[in-house]
Coordinates of all heavy atoms in Angstrom, one line a residue:
S1 N 0.8 -1.2 0.0 CA 0.0 0.0 0.0 C 0.9 1.2 0.0 O 2.1 1.2 0.4 CB -0.9 0.0 1.2 OG -0.2 0.2 2.4
A2 N 0.3 2.4 -0.4 CA 1.0 3.6 -0.4 C 1.4 4.0 1.0 O 2.5 4.5 1.3 CB 0.2 4.7 -1.0
A3 N 0.6 3.7 2.0 CA 0.9 4.1 3.4 C 2.1 3.3 3.9 O 2.9 3.8 4.6 CB -0.3 3.8 4.3
A4 N 2.2 2.0 3.5 CA 3.4 1.2 3.9 C 4.6 1.7 3.2 O 5.7 1.8 3.8 CB 3.1 -0.3 3.5
A5 N 4.5 2.2 2.0 CA 5.7 2.7 1.3 C 6.2 4.0 1.9 O 7.4 4.2 2.1 CB 5.3 3.0 -0.2
V6 N 5.2 4.9 2.4 CA 5.6 6.1 3.1 C 6.4 5.7 4.4 O 7.4 6.3 4.7 CB 4.3 6.9 3.4 CG1 4.7 8.0 4.4 CG2 3.8 7.5 2.2
C7 N 5.9 4.7 5.2 CA 6.5 4.3 6.4 C 8.0 3.8 6.1 O 8.9 4.1 6.9 CB 5.7 3.2 7.1 SG 4.2 3.7 7.8
I8 N 8.2 3.0 5.1 CA 9.4 2.5 4.7 C 10.4 3.7 4.3 O 11.5 3.8 4.7 CB 9.4 1.5 3.5 CG1 8.6 0.3 4.0 CG2 10.7 1.2 2.9 CD1 8.2 -0.6 2.8
L9 N 9.8 4.6 3.5 CA 10.7 5.8 3.1 C 11.1 6.6 4.3 O 12.2 7.0 4.4 CB 9.9 6.6 2.1 CG 9.8 6.1 0.7 CD1 8.8 6.8 -0.1 CD2 11.2 6.1 0.0
R10 N 10.2 6.8 5.3 CA 10.5 7.6 6.5 C 11.5 6.9 7.3 O 12.4 7.5 7.9 CB 9.2 7.8 7.3 CG 8.3 8.9 6.6 CD 7.1 9.1 7.5 NE 6.2 10.1 7.0 CZ 5.0 10.4 7.5 NH1 4.5 9.7 8.5 NH2 4.3 11.3 6.9
A11 N 11.4 5.5 7.4 CA 12.4 4.8 8.1 C 13.8 4.9 7.6 O 14.8 4.7 8.3 CB 11.9 3.3 8.2
H12 N 13.8 5.2 6.3 CA 15.2 5.4 5.6 C 15.6 6.8 5.6 O 16.5 7.2 4.9 CB 15.1 4.8 4.2 CG 15.1 3.3 4.1 ND1 14.0 2.5 4.0 CD2 16.2 2.4 4.2 CE1 14.3 1.3 4.0 NE2 15.6 1.2 4.1
G13 N 14.8 7.7 6.3 CA 15.2 9.1 6.4 C 14.7 10.0 5.4 O 15.1 11.2 5.4
F14 N 13.8 9.6 4.6 CA 13.2 10.5 3.6 C 12.0 11.1 4.2 O 11.2 10.6 5.0 CB 12.8 9.7 2.3 CG 14.0 9.1 1.6 CD1 14.3 7.7 1.7 CD2 14.7 9.9 0.8 CE1 15.4 7.2 1.1 CE2 15.8 9.3 0.1 CZ 16.1 8.0 0.3
K15 N 11.8 12.4 3.7 CA 10.6 13.1 4.1 C 9.5 12.7 3.1 O 9.6 13.0 1.9 CB 10.8 14.6 4.1 CG 11.7 15.1 5.1 CD 11.9 16.5 5.1 CE 12.9 17.0 6.1 NZ 13.1 18.4 6.1
A16 N 8.5 11.9 3.6 CA 7.4 11.4 2.7 C 6.1 11.6 3.4 O 6.0 11.5 4.6 CB 7.7 9.9 2.4
G17 N 5.1 11.8 2.6 CA 3.7 11.9 3.2 C 2.7 11.2 2.3 O 3.0 10.8 1.2
L18 N 1.5 11.3 2.7 CA 0.4 10.6 2.0 C -0.8 11.5 1.9 O -1.2 12.1 2.9 CB 0.0 9.3 2.7 CG -1.1 8.5 2.0 CD1 -0.6 7.9 0.7 CD2 -1.6 7.4 3.0
L19 N -1.2 11.8 0.7 CA -2.5 12.5 0.5 C -3.5 11.6 -0.2 O -3.2 11.1 -1.3 CB -2.2 13.7 -0.5 CG -3.5 14.5 -0.9 CD1 -4.1 15.2 0.3 CD2 -3.1 15.5 -2.0
R20 N -4.5 11.3 0.6 CA -5.5 10.3 0.0 C -6.8 11.1 -0.3 O -7.3 11.7 0.5 CB -5.8 9.2 1.1 CG -6.8 8.2 0.7 CD -7.0 7.1 1.7 NE -8.1 6.3 1.3 CZ -9.3 6.3 1.8 NH1 -9.5 7.1 2.9 NH2 -10.2 5.5 1.4
T21 N -7.1 11.0 -1.6 CA -8.4 11.6 -2.0 C -9.5 10.5 -1.9 O -9.2 9.4 -2.2 CB -8.3 12.2 -3.4 OG1 -8.0 11.1 -4.3 CG2 -7.3 13.3 -3.4
R22 N -10.7 10.9 -1.5 CA -11.8 9.9 -1.5 C -12.6 9.9 -2.7 O -13.3 8.9 -2.9 CB -12.6 10.3 -0.2 CG -11.9 10.0 1.1 CD -12.9 10.3 2.2 NE -12.2 10.1 3.5 CZ -12.4 9.1 4.3 NH1 -13.3 8.2 4.0 NH2 -11.7 9.0 5.4
T23 N -12.5 10.9 -3.5 CA -13.3 11.0 -4.7 C -12.3 11.5 -5.8 O -11.4 12.2 -5.5 CB -14.5 12.0 -4.7 OG1 -14.0 13.3 -4.4 CG2 -15.4 11.5 -3.6
I24 N -12.7 11.2 -7.1 CA -11.9 11.8 -8.2 C -12.8 12.7 -9.0 O -12.4 13.5 -9.9 CB -11.2 10.9 -9.0 CG1 -12.1 9.9 -9.8 CG2 -10.2 10.0 -8.3 CD1 -11.4 9.2 -11.0
W25 N -14.2 12.6 -8.7 CA -15.1 13.5 -9.4 C -16.2 14.0 -8.4 O -16.9 13.1 -7.9 CB -15.7 12.8 -10.6 CG -16.4 13.9 -11.4 CD1 -17.8 14.1 -11.4 CD2 -15.9 14.8 -12.3 NE1 -18.0 15.2 -12.3 CE2 -16.9 15.7 -12.8 CE3 -14.5 15.1 -12.7 CZ2 -16.6 16.7 -13.7 CZ3 -14.3 16.1 -13.5 CH2 -15.4 16.9 -14.0
P26 N -16.3 15.3 -8.1 CA -15.3 16.2 -8.6 C -14.0 16.1 -8.0 O -13.9 15.7 -6.8 CB -16.0 17.6 -8.3 CG -16.9 17.2 -7.1 CD -17.3 15.8 -7.2
F27 N -12.9 16.4 -8.7 CA -11.6 16.3 -8.2 C -11.4 17.3 -7.1 O -11.8 18.5 -7.2 CB -10.6 16.6 -9.3 CG -9.2 16.1 -8.9 CD1 -8.9 14.7 -8.9 CD2 -8.2 16.9 -8.6 CE1 -7.6 14.2 -8.6 CE2 -6.9 16.5 -8.2 CZ -6.7 15.1 -8.3
P28 N -10.8 16.9 -6.0 CA -10.6 17.7 -4.8 C -9.6 18.8 -4.9 O -8.5 18.8 -4.2 CB -10.3 16.7 -3.7 CG -9.6 15.6 -4.4 CD -10.3 15.5 -5.7
K29 N -9.8 19.8 -5.7 CA -8.9 20.8 -6.0 C -8.5 21.7 -4.7 O -7.4 22.0 -4.6 CB -9.4 21.8 -7.0 CG -9.6 21.2 -8.4 CD -10.2 22.2 -9.4 CE -10.4 21.6 -10.7 NZ -11.0 22.5 -11.7
K30 N -9.5 21.8 -3.8 CA -9.3 22.5 -2.6 C -8.2 21.8 -1.7 O -7.3 22.4 -1.2 CB -10.5 22.7 -1.8 CG -10.4 23.6 -0.6 CD -11.7 23.8 0.1 CE -11.5 24.7 1.3 NZ -12.8 25.0 2.0
A31 N -8.3 20.5 -1.6 CA -7.3 19.7 -0.8 C -5.9 19.9 -1.5 O -4.9 20.0 -0.7 CB -7.7 18.3 -0.8
I32 N -5.9 19.9 -2.8 CA -4.6 20.0 -3.5 C -4.0 21.4 -3.2 O -2.9 21.6 -3.0 CB -4.7 19.7 -4.9 CG1 -5.3 18.4 -5.2 CG2 -3.4 19.9 -5.7 CD1 -4.6 17.2 -4.5
S33 N -4.9 22.5 -3.2 CA -4.4 23.8 -3.0 C -3.9 24.0 -1.6 O -3.2 25.0 -1.3 CB -5.5 24.8 -3.4 OG -6.6 24.7 -2.5
N34 N -4.3 23.2 -0.7 CA -3.9 23.3 0.7 C -2.6 22.5 1.1 O -2.2 22.5 2.2 CB -5.0 22.8 1.7 CG -6.1 23.8 1.7 OD1 -6.0 25.0 1.5 ND2 -7.3 23.3 1.9
V35 N -2.0 21.9 0.0 CA -0.7 21.2 0.3 C 0.4 22.2 0.6 O 0.5 23.2 0.0 CB -0.4 20.4 -1.0 CG1 1.0 19.8 -0.9 CG2 -1.4 19.3 -1.2
P36 N 1.1 21.9 1.6 CA 2.2 22.8 2.0 C 3.2 23.1 0.9 O 3.5 22.3 0.0 CB 2.9 22.1 3.2 CG 2.0 21.1 3.6 CD 1.1 20.7 2.5
T37 N 3.8 24.3 0.9 CA 4.7 24.7 -0.1 C 6.0 23.9 -0.1 O 6.8 23.9 -1.0 CB 5.0 26.2 -0.1 OG1 5.6 26.5 1.2 CG2 3.8 27.0 -0.3
C38 N 6.3 23.2 1.0 CA 7.5 22.3 1.1 C 7.4 21.1 0.3 O 8.4 20.4 0.1 CB 7.8 22.0 2.5 SG 6.6 21.0 3.4
V39 N 6.2 20.7 -0.2 CA 6.1 19.5 -1.0 C 6.8 19.7 -2.3 O 6.6 20.7 -3.1 CB 4.6 19.2 -1.3 CG1 4.5 18.0 -2.3 CG2 3.9 18.9 0.0
R40 N 7.7 18.8 -2.6 CA 8.5 18.9 -3.9 C 8.0 18.1 -5.0 O 8.3 18.4 -6.2 CB 10.0 18.4 -3.6 CG 10.7 19.4 -2.6 CD 12.1 19.1 -2.5 NE 12.5 17.7 -2.5 CZ 13.4 17.1 -1.9 NH1 14.1 17.8 -1.1 NH2 13.6 15.8 -2.0
A41 N 7.2 17.0 -4.8 CA 6.7 16.3 -5.8 C 5.6 15.3 -5.3 O 5.5 15.1 -4.1 CB 7.8 15.4 -6.5
F42 N 4.7 14.9 -6.3 CA 3.7 13.9 -6.0 C 4.0 12.6 -6.7 O 4.5 12.7 -7.9 CB 2.3 14.3 -6.5 CG 1.7 15.4 -5.7 CD1 1.7 16.7 -6.1 CD2 1.1 15.2 -4.4 CE1 1.1 17.8 -5.4 CE2 0.5 16.2 -3.7 CZ 0.5 17.5 -4.3
I43 N 3.9 11.4 -6.1 CA 3.9 10.2 -6.8 C 2.5 9.6 -6.7 O 1.9 9.5 -5.6 CB 4.9 9.2 -6.2 CG1 6.3 9.7 -6.3 CG2 4.8 7.8 -6.8 CD1 7.3 8.9 -5.6
V44 N 1.9 9.3 -7.9 CA 0.5 8.9 -7.9 C 0.5 7.4 -8.3 O 0.6 7.1 -9.5 CB -0.3 9.7 -8.9 CG1 -1.8 9.3 -8.8 CG2 -0.2 11.2 -8.5
P45 N 0.3 6.5 -7.4 CA 0.2 5.1 -7.8 C -1.2 4.8 -8.2 O -2.2 5.1 -7.5 CB 0.5 4.3 -6.4 CG 0.3 5.3 -5.4 CD 0.4 6.7 -5.9
E46 N -1.3 4.1 -9.4 CA -2.6 3.9 -9.9 C -2.7 2.5 -10.6 O -1.7 2.1 -11.3 CB -3.0 4.9 -10.9 CG -3.1 6.3 -10.4 CD -3.6 7.3 -11.4 OE1 -4.9 7.2 -11.8 OE2 -2.9 8.0 -12.0
L47 N -3.7 1.8 -10.4 CA -4.0 0.5 -11.1 C -4.8 0.8 -12.4 O -5.7 0.1 -12.7 CB -4.7 -0.4 -10.2 CG -4.0 -1.0 -9.0 CD1 -4.9 -1.8 -8.1 CD2 -2.8 -1.8 -9.5
N48 N -4.3 1.8 -13.2 CA -4.9 2.1 -14.5 C -3.8 2.8 -15.3 O -2.6 2.7 -14.9 CB -6.2 2.9 -14.4 CG -5.9 4.2 -13.5 OD1 -5.0 4.9 -13.8 ND2 -6.9 4.5 -12.7
T49 N -4.2 3.6 -16.3 CA -3.2 4.3 -17.1 C -2.8 5.7 -16.7 O -2.3 6.4 -17.5 CB -3.7 4.2 -18.6 OG1 -4.9 4.9 -18.7 CG2 -3.8 2.8 -19.1
G50 N -3.2 6.1 -15.5 CA -2.8 7.4 -15.0 C -3.7 8.5 -15.0 O -3.4 9.6 -15.1
M51 N -5.0 8.2 -15.0 CA -6.1 9.2 -15.0 C -6.0 10.2 -13.8 O -6.1 11.4 -14.0 CB -7.4 8.5 -15.0 CG -8.6 9.5 -15.1 SD -10.2 8.8 -15.3 CE -10.6 8.5 -13.6
S52 N -5.8 9.7 -12.6 CA -5.7 10.6 -11.4 C -4.5 11.5 -11.5 O -4.5 12.7 -11.2 CB -5.6 9.8 -10.2 OG -6.8 9.1 -10.0
A53 N -3.4 11.0 -12.0 CA -2.2 11.8 -12.2 C -2.4 13.0 -13.2 O -2.0 14.1 -13.0 CB -1.0 11.0 -12.6
E54 N -3.1 12.7 -14.2 CA -3.4 13.7 -15.2 C -4.4 14.8 -14.6 O -4.2 16.0 -14.8 CB -4.1 13.2 -16.4 CG -3.1 12.3 -17.3 CD -1.9 13.1 -17.7 OE1 -2.0 14.3 -18.2 OE2 -0.7 12.6 -17.6
L55 N -5.3 14.4 -13.8 CA -6.2 15.3 -13.1 C -5.4 16.2 -12.1 O -5.6 17.4 -12.0 CB -7.3 14.6 -12.4 CG -8.4 13.9 -13.2 CD1 -9.3 13.1 -12.4 CD2 -9.2 15.0 -13.9
L56 N -4.5 15.6 -11.4 CA -3.7 16.3 -10.4 C -2.7 17.3 -11.1 O -2.6 18.4 -10.6 CB -2.8 15.3 -9.6 CG -1.9 15.9 -8.6 CD1 -2.7 16.7 -7.5 CD2 -1.1 14.7 -7.9
K57 N -2.2 16.9 -12.3 CA -1.3 17.9 -13.0 C -2.1 19.2 -13.4 O -1.4 20.2 -13.5 CB -0.8 17.2 -14.3 CG 0.2 16.2 -14.0 CD 0.7 15.5 -15.3 CE 1.7 14.4 -15.1 NZ 2.0 13.7 -16.3
C58 N -3.4 19.1 -13.6 CA -4.1 20.3 -13.9 C -4.4 21.2 -12.7 O -4.8 22.3 -12.9 CB -5.5 19.8 -14.5 SG -5.4 19.0 -16.1
C59 N -4.1 20.7 -11.5 CA -4.5 21.4 -10.3 C -3.2 22.0 -9.5 O -3.4 22.7 -8.6 CB -5.2 20.6 -9.3 SG -6.7 19.9 -9.9
T60 N -2.0 21.7 -10.0 CA -0.9 22.1 -9.3 C 0.3 22.3 -10.2 O 0.4 21.8 -11.3 CB -0.5 21.0 -8.2 OG1 0.6 21.4 -7.4 CG2 -0.1 19.7 -8.9
D61 N 1.2 23.1 -9.6 CA 2.5 23.4 -10.4 C 3.6 22.4 -9.8 O 4.7 22.4 -10.3 CB 3.0 24.8 -10.2 CG 2.1 25.8 -10.9 OD1 1.5 25.4 -11.9 OD2 1.9 26.9 -10.4
I62 N 3.3 21.7 -8.8 CA 4.2 20.8 -8.2 C 4.4 19.6 -9.1 O 3.4 19.0 -9.7 CB 3.7 20.2 -6.8 CG1 3.6 21.4 -5.9 CG2 4.6 19.2 -6.3 CD1 2.9 21.1 -4.5
P63 N 5.6 19.1 -9.4 CA 5.8 17.9 -10.4 C 5.0 16.7 -9.9 O 4.9 16.4 -8.7 CB 7.3 17.6 -10.3 CG 7.9 18.9 -9.8 CD 6.9 19.6 -8.9
V64 N 4.4 16.1 -10.9 CA 3.5 14.9 -10.6 C 4.1 13.7 -11.4 O 4.4 13.8 -12.6 CB 2.1 15.1 -11.1 CG1 1.2 13.8 -10.9 CG2 1.4 16.3 -10.4
H65 N 4.4 12.6 -10.6 CA 5.0 11.4 -11.3 C 4.0 10.3 -11.2 O 3.6 10.0 -10.1 CB 6.4 11.1 -10.5 CG 7.3 12.2 -10.5 ND1 8.1 12.5 -11.6 CD2 7.6 13.1 -9.6 CE1 8.9 13.5 -11.3 NE2 8.6 13.9 -10.1
S66 N 3.7 9.7 -12.3 CA 2.7 8.7 -12.3 C 3.4 7.3 -12.3 O 4.3 7.1 -13.0 CB 1.8 8.8 -13.6 OG 0.9 7.8 -13.7
F67 N 2.9 6.5 -11.3 CA 3.3 5.1 -11.2 C 2.1 4.2 -11.5 O 1.2 4.1 -10.7 CB 3.8 4.8 -9.8 CG 4.3 3.4 -9.7 CD1 5.7 3.1 -9.9 CD2 3.6 2.3 -9.3 CE1 6.2 1.8 -9.8 CE2 4.0 1.0 -9.2 CZ 5.3 0.8 -9.5
T68 N 2.1 3.7 -12.7 CA 0.9 2.8 -13.2 C 1.3 1.4 -13.2 O 2.4 1.0 -13.5 CB 0.4 3.3 -14.5 OG1 1.4 3.1 -15.5 CG2 0.0 4.8 -14.5
Q69 N 0.2 0.6 -13.0 CA 0.4 -0.8 -13.1 C -1.0 -1.3 -13.6 O -2.0 -1.1 -13.0 CB 0.7 -1.5 -11.7 CG 1.0 -2.9 -11.7 CD 1.5 -3.4 -10.4 OE1 2.6 -3.0 -10.0 NE2 0.8 -4.3 -9.8
T70 N -1.0 -2.1 -14.6 CA -2.3 -2.5 -15.3 C -2.4 -4.0 -15.4 O -3.3 -4.5 -16.1 CB -2.4 -1.9 -16.7 OG1 -1.3 -2.3 -17.5 CG2 -2.5 -0.4 -16.6
D71 N -1.7 -4.8 -14.5 CA -1.7 -6.2 -14.7 C -2.8 -6.8 -13.7 O -2.9 -8.0 -13.6 CB -0.4 -6.9 -14.4 CG 0.2 -6.6 -13.0 OD1 -0.5 -5.9 -12.3 OD2 1.4 -7.0 -12.8
G72 N -3.5 -6.0 -12.9 CA -4.5 -6.5 -12.0 C -4.0 -6.9 -10.6 O -4.8 -7.2 -9.8
N73 N -2.7 -6.9 -10.4 CA -2.1 -7.2 -9.2 C -2.0 -5.9 -8.3 O -1.8 -4.8 -8.8 CB -0.8 -7.8 -9.3 CG -0.9 -9.2 -9.9 OD1 -1.7 -10.0 -9.5 ND2 -0.1 -9.4 -11.0
P74 N -2.0 -6.1 -6.9 CA -1.8 -4.9 -6.1 C -0.4 -4.3 -6.3 O 0.6 -5.0 -6.6 CB -1.9 -5.4 -4.7 CG -2.4 -6.9 -4.8 CD -2.2 -7.3 -6.2
I75 N -0.3 -3.0 -6.1 CA 1.0 -2.4 -6.2 C 1.8 -2.6 -4.9 O 1.3 -2.2 -3.8 CB 0.9 -0.8 -6.5 CG1 0.2 -0.7 -7.8 CG2 2.3 -0.1 -6.4 CD1 -0.1 0.8 -8.1
L76 N 2.9 -3.2 -4.9 CA 3.7 -3.5 -3.7 C 4.4 -2.3 -3.2 O 4.9 -1.5 -4.0 CB 4.7 -4.6 -4.1 CG 4.2 -6.0 -4.5 CD1 5.3 -6.9 -4.9 CD2 3.3 -6.6 -3.4
P77 N 4.4 -2.1 -1.9 CA 5.2 -1.0 -1.3 C 6.6 -0.9 -1.8 O 7.1 0.2 -2.1 CB 5.1 -1.2 0.2 CG 3.8 -2.1 0.3 CD 3.8 -2.9 -0.8
S78 N 7.2 -2.1 -1.9 CA 8.7 -2.1 -2.4 C 8.9 -1.5 -3.8 O 9.8 -0.8 -4.0 CB 9.2 -3.5 -2.3 OG 8.5 -4.4 -3.2
R79 N 7.9 -1.6 -4.6 CA 7.9 -1.1 -6.0 C 7.8 0.5 -5.9 O 8.5 1.2 -6.6 CB 6.8 -1.6 -6.9 CG 6.9 -3.2 -7.0 CD 7.1 -3.8 -8.4 NE 7.3 -3.0 -9.5 CZ 6.5 -2.8 -10.5 NH1 5.3 -3.5 -10.5 NH2 6.8 -2.1 -11.5
L80 N 7.0 0.9 -5.0 CA 6.8 2.4 -4.8 C 8.1 3.0 -4.3 O 8.5 4.1 -4.7 CB 5.6 2.7 -4.0 CG 4.2 2.6 -4.6 CD1 3.1 2.8 -3.6 CD2 4.0 3.4 -5.8
V81 N 8.7 2.3 -3.3 CA 9.9 2.8 -2.7 C 11.0 2.8 -3.7 O 11.7 3.8 -3.8 CB 10.3 1.9 -1.5 CG1 11.7 2.2 -1.0 CG2 9.3 2.1 -0.3
E82 N 11.1 1.8 -4.5 CA 12.1 1.8 -5.6 C 11.9 2.9 -6.6 O 12.8 3.6 -7.0 CB 12.0 0.4 -6.3 CG 13.0 0.3 -7.4 CD 12.9 -1.1 -8.1 OE1 12.4 -2.0 -7.5 OE2 13.3 -1.1 -9.3
F83 N 10.6 3.1 -6.9 CA 10.3 4.2 -7.9 C 10.7 5.6 -7.3 O 11.3 6.4 -8.0 CB 8.8 4.2 -8.2 CG 8.4 5.2 -9.2 CD1 8.8 5.1 -10.6 CD2 7.6 6.3 -8.8 CE1 8.4 6.1 -11.5 CE2 7.2 7.2 -9.7 CZ 7.5 7.2 -11.1
A84 N 10.3 5.8 -6.0 CA 10.6 7.1 -5.3 C 12.1 7.3 -5.3 O 12.6 8.4 -5.5 CB 10.1 7.1 -3.9
G85 N 12.9 6.2 -5.2 CA 14.4 6.3 -5.1 C 15.0 6.8 -6.4 O 16.0 7.4 -6.4
T86 N 14.3 6.4 -7.5 CA 14.8 6.9 -8.8 C 14.5 8.4 -9.0 O 15.2 9.0 -9.9 CB 14.1 6.1 -10.0 OG1 12.7 6.4 -10.0 CG2 14.3 4.6 -9.9
L87 N 13.6 9.0 -8.3 CA 13.3 10.4 -8.4 C 14.2 11.3 -7.5 O 14.2 12.5 -7.7 CB 11.9 10.6 -8.1 CG 10.8 9.8 -8.9 CD1 9.4 10.1 -8.4 CD2 10.9 10.2 -10.4
L88 N 14.9 10.7 -6.6 CA 15.6 11.5 -5.7 C 17.0 11.8 -6.1 O 17.6 11.1 -6.9 CB 15.7 10.8 -4.3 CG 14.3 10.5 -3.7 CD1 14.5 9.7 -2.4 CD2 13.6 11.8 -3.3

């Protein structure tokens, strides 16, 4: 899960957080606009082709990195941690 990936990243000394949206329509622009200015990037894990990441890109100037997986299996925290490592 994304929450587990955040815990692993924090345990390794990275500043990581989790923003969980409950809906995508209407997209929660207000929640995105309240994100602290210290946020350097978003990683959006999705079990599709990146629809939420595209919606997020329209709401923020913060870089958005899409992590997609379309094989029907859950996204493993270790894969998210590895992906985050490539961005640092």
